[in-house]
Amino acid sequence: MTFEDHVRAALDELPPNLAAALENVAVVVEDENHEDPDLLGLYHGVPLPERGDVAGLLPDKISIYRIPLEESFPDTDELREEIRVTVLHELAHYFGIDEDRLAELGYD
């Protein structure tokens, strides 16, 4: 599987009610974050609970960074799991869950 396939699989494995709630958000694979090359993923946008009317707005974006993930997790199984965790972590931000709450849930 390619890196992109792992990201797609993480999205495909979302519970149906969670997947159905995704609206106006794009999940993309990028090589790395140029400002912070060690960053694994980043949510760019306005969390769902804080949104008003999104008509005409560009979608929010979740970036999953390939190079730091592949370098940190050379084992295929570990890489697949960390991609899944990273996607879930960034989706949590989309749904309005902050870092403190993620830490409480074990997704820090």
Side-chain angles (χ1 to χ4, degrees):
M1 284 180 84
T2 67
F3 188 91
E4 290 79 4
D5 290 337
H6 288 303
V7 171
R8 196 170 301 111
L11 292 167
D12 289 345
E13 293 170 3
L14 291 174
N17 59 334
L18 193 61
L22 296 176
E23 198 174 286
N24 205 38
V25 60
V27 179
V28 300
V29 172
E30 297 179 36
D31 283 340
E32 65 185 354
N33 181 297
H34 297 292
E35 294 175 15
D36 185 355
D38 294 328
L39 199 60
L40 304 180
L42 184 63
Y43 169 67
H44 318 261
V46 178
L48 197 58
E50 299 173 20
R51 289 186 188 188
D53 181 16
V54 296
L57 294 179
L58 292 174
D60 288 357
K61 181 170 84 168
I62 293 174
S63 298
I64 306 299
Y65 298 115
R66 184 185 57 78
I67 291 172
L69 279 159
E70 288 179 338
E71 288 178 350
S72 298
F73 303 94
D75 177 79
T76 303
D77 291 335
E78 289 179 2
L79 175 62
R80 182 180 62 242
E81 177 61 16
E82 192 57 37
I83 290 170
R84 186 185 74 77
V85 167
T86 302
V87 168
L88 292 175
H89 182 105
E90 300 311 328
L91 284 172
H93 291 313
Y94 166 83
F95 285 111
I97 300 172
D98 65 17
E99 290 293 334
D100 291 336
R101 182 66 179 131
L102 281 172
E104 290 173 14
L105 296 170
Y107 287 98
D108 49 351

